[in-house]
Amino acid sequence: HPDGPYIYSEWSQIPDDVEDYPRWCRYLNLYKPMVQDETIVYMEIRDTDMILSPIPDKVYISLFTSHEEYMVVSNMADTPYALETKDLWQDRVSGKTGTQFTIPASRILFLKRVEDSMEA
């Protein structure tokens, strides 16, 4: 219908959340550089020496490797998750760089490996 309610996707709701489309655009912009041609994705990482903190059942970590390395951490738990990594990573939204990040409950964190920390 030209006068709304506007549906941006199959998962949109009525009445539509006006933040759905801008949120979708923000996430698309975060994902696009991670999925360039020839990228290898490791889904639901559980056992790696890259992550020093325990990984709870409701926390999902994926690694995207190509010319650069990206990590996405989804915290589907009801409590914050304290992520500790071996190498330096940069939060792609806040710009914070470090080895420790707190992901609030029901949130997602987009990281990019800081190249100086990569092993030779």
Side-chain angles (χ1 to χ4, degrees):
H1 189 278
D3 297 323
Y6 305 105
I7 304 297
Y8 295 110
S9 68
E10 294 176 3
W11 59 86
S12 277
Q13 53 202 350
I14 296 177
D16 205 22
D17 181 351
V18 295
E19 183 57 24
D20 274 350
Y21 185 69
R23 183 183 309 112
W24 181 85
C25 289
R26 285 192 304 271
Y27 282 116
L28 178 63
N29 286 334
L30 287 165
Y31 271 104
K32 279 174 68 174
M34 298 185 328
V35 294
Q36 295 178 2
D37 287 345
E38 300 180 16
T39 297
I40 298 172
V41 182
Y42 301 93
M43 309 268 306
E44 295 189 31
I45 294 173
R46 292 279 162 207
D47 186 25
T48 178
D49 60 356
M50 294 174 58
I51 310 293
L52 302 177
S53 52
I55 304 171
D57 287 340
K58 291 189 175 184
V59 171
Y60 302 95
I61 300 175
S62 297
L63 184 68
F64 298 74
T65 61
S66 186
H67 300 290
E68 301 185 86
E69 279 192 295
Y70 298 95
M71 185 185 303
V72 178
V73 183
S74 299
N75 181 7
M76 305 307 287
D78 296 328
T79 58
Y81 170 59
L83 171 70
E84 184 176 358
T85 62
K86 181 176 130 182
D87 298 314
L88 282 175
W89 292 81
Q90 182 178 40
D91 181 332
R92 295 181 54 221
V93 174
S94 74
K96 175 190 171 208
T97 298
T99 59
Q100 298 180 341
F101 301 89
T102 299
I103 302 106
S106 302
R107 296 286 186 223
I108 189 168
L109 176 70
F110 292 86
L111 299 172
K112 179 179 175 182
R113 187 188 294 244
V114 175
E115 289 189 30
D116 293 344
S117 72
M118 294 179 71
E119 295 178 16

